[in-house]
Amino acid sequence: MPRLRTVLFAAGAAVLVKRAVARRVRQAPLWPMPTLEEPVSGRGRRSSTTPRRVLVTERTAPAEGVVQLRLEGTGLPSWSPGAHLDLVLPSGLVRQYSLCGDPDDTDTYTIATRVLEDGRGGSLEVREQLHEGTEVEIRGPRNRFPLVDAAAYVFVAGGIGVTPVLPMVRAAHAAGADWRLLYCGRGRATMPFLDELEKLGADGGRVTVVAEDTDGLPDLGFLADVPEGTEVYCCGPDGLMDAVAAALPDGRAPRLERFTAAAQGGGGAFEVELRRSGAVVRVAEGQSVLAAVRAEVPHVSYSCEQGFCGTCQQRVLEGEIDHRDELLTDDERHDSMLICVSRCRGERLVLDL
């Protein structure tokens, strides 16, 4: 019993001491203790960059020069028309592809790509390396091209740009919405999903197909008369998207989806201070902030190098940002940037890095 009383007394004393210390800490002038926030990182901040492994279970060719992949996995995030995902290729290249399957199929994603012999290498790797039974990493999906509620829709698709438009057309048709589609391509044999789209639009002649090898260039004059309340969606080559934007009445703008970096003006040299290390790096004219920073911080995260994936996002503490990405929201642009493409409007930026 004496030993038990001693143990209980010691335990009680320890509790009292712990409470007293905690009380002193709370009353201290530095309480709560200041902490240094974690730097913004695309990987850590965005759940859409969480990597997942999926299996290629089907590979088809819906048109000449087009490869379509069916990707299966468990617990895949839901998606809506217009969404895309990052495909991490075996070489480490990251490319973005629109989802063109059925959003209600929760265990499967479907993507398609046109194989470009003189492209940046991604589509060639898809053709040569991704076959049925291949496991591949994905990130996403995310949607910066959502189908919004509207009185009516006009869709304009050019070539493989039909991939995000296809689920939109299906959704608009299923909802009984007023819609029409202008689908352009080099030739009918090269235009994926053409049969399905023509069947969807057979009632009322909603689908206009323009094959350049037989029909020439599309006439976009009808866009000048698009009624108010009609949303115009376009995905395709830059020339087509620019022409659609120019054809709309003043004050009207189409909703566009790009998967190559938009042409940007040049930019002069400037300095970037890395606040955490105290280092200052010089970003040369024509050099990315990412390239300059990696010379000082080799482990900094990055992926697509085109301003799409968000992996290289960093917090900006000082300086005016020249945003050139295709991803950040207006709120995020106040205090962060994608260092793979964006630059400084002045002479100096300070990054929380």
Side-chain angles (χ1 to χ4, degrees), residues 124-202:
L124 289 173
E125 191 169 349
V126 169
R127 183 184 68 184
E128 301 299 328
Q129 300 292 328
L130 301 188
H131 303 277
E132 293 179 6
T134 303
E135 191 177 56
V136 66
E137 181 180 305
I138 61 170
R139 294 196 294 265
R142 54 180 173 267
N143 198 340
R144 61 168 185 252
F145 192 48
L147 183 65
V148 300
D149 291 335
Y153 301 94
V154 171
F155 303 106
V156 181
I160 199 62
V162 74
T163 50
V165 171
L166 176 60
M168 292 183 176
V169 171
R170 290 176 182 148
H173 187 75
D178 180 11
W179 65 272
R180 62 184 296 189
L181 166 68
L182 173 62
Y183 186 10
C184 316
R186 294 180 180 176
R188 291 182 65 92
T190 68
M191 300 168 70
F193 317 120
L194 184 56
D195 289 345
E196 178 184 354
L197 287 165
E198 287 187 315
K199 288 178 182 177
L200 286 172

Side-chain angles (χ1 to χ4, degrees), residues 56-249:
V56 179
T57 58
E58 184 179 66
R59 171 173 159 152
T60 56
E64 289 181 4
V66 176
V67 174
Q68 178 175 291
L69 300 178
R70 179 184 174 93
L71 310 173
E72 294 190 9
T74 56
L76 297 179
S78 61
W79 62 281
S80 58
H84 70 276
L85 53 75
D86 297 339
L87 182 68
V88 184
L89 297 168
S91 67
L93 287 176
V94 179
R95 295 294 183 264
Q96 290 71 40
Y97 297 107
S98 293
L99 291 167
C100 55
D102 181 359
D104 292 331
D105 187 351
T106 56
D107 296 323
T108 301
Y109 291 153
T110 302
I111 60 173
T113 181
R114 182 173 302 284
V115 178
L116 301 176
E117 300 293 342
D118 58 349
R120 296 184 299 126
S123 63
L124 289 173
E125 191 169 349
V126 169
R127 183 184 68 184
E128 301 299 328
Q129 300 292 328
L130 301 188
H131 303 277
E132 293 179 6
T134 303
E135 191 177 56
V136 66
E137 181 180 305
I138 61 170
R139 294 196 294 265
R142 54 180 173 267
N143 198 340
R144 61 168 185 252
F145 192 48
L147 183 65
V148 300
D149 291 335
Y153 301 94
V154 171
F155 303 106
V156 181
I160 199 62
V162 74
T163 50
V165 171
L166 176 60
M168 292 183 176
V169 171
R170 290 176 182 148
H173 187 75
D178 180 11
W179 65 272
R180 62 184 296 189
L181 166 68
L182 173 62
Y183 186 10
C184 316
R186 294 180 180 176
R188 291 182 65 92
T190 68
M191 300 168 70
F193 317 120
L194 184 56
D195 289 345
E196 178 184 354
L197 287 165
E198 287 187 315
K199 288 178 182 177
L200 286 172
D203 181 15
R206 296 174 183 269
V207 176
T208 300
V209 178
V210 177
E212 292 180 16
D213 58 356
T214 58
D215 305 321
L217 296 176
D219 181 4
L220 301 176
F222 74 97
L223 291 174
D225 300 320
V226 170
E228 288 288 339
T230 299
E231 289 288 346
V232 178
Y233 284 80
C234 180
C235 185
D238 285 344
L240 176 63
M241 292 191 287
D242 292 342
V244 167
L248 286 173

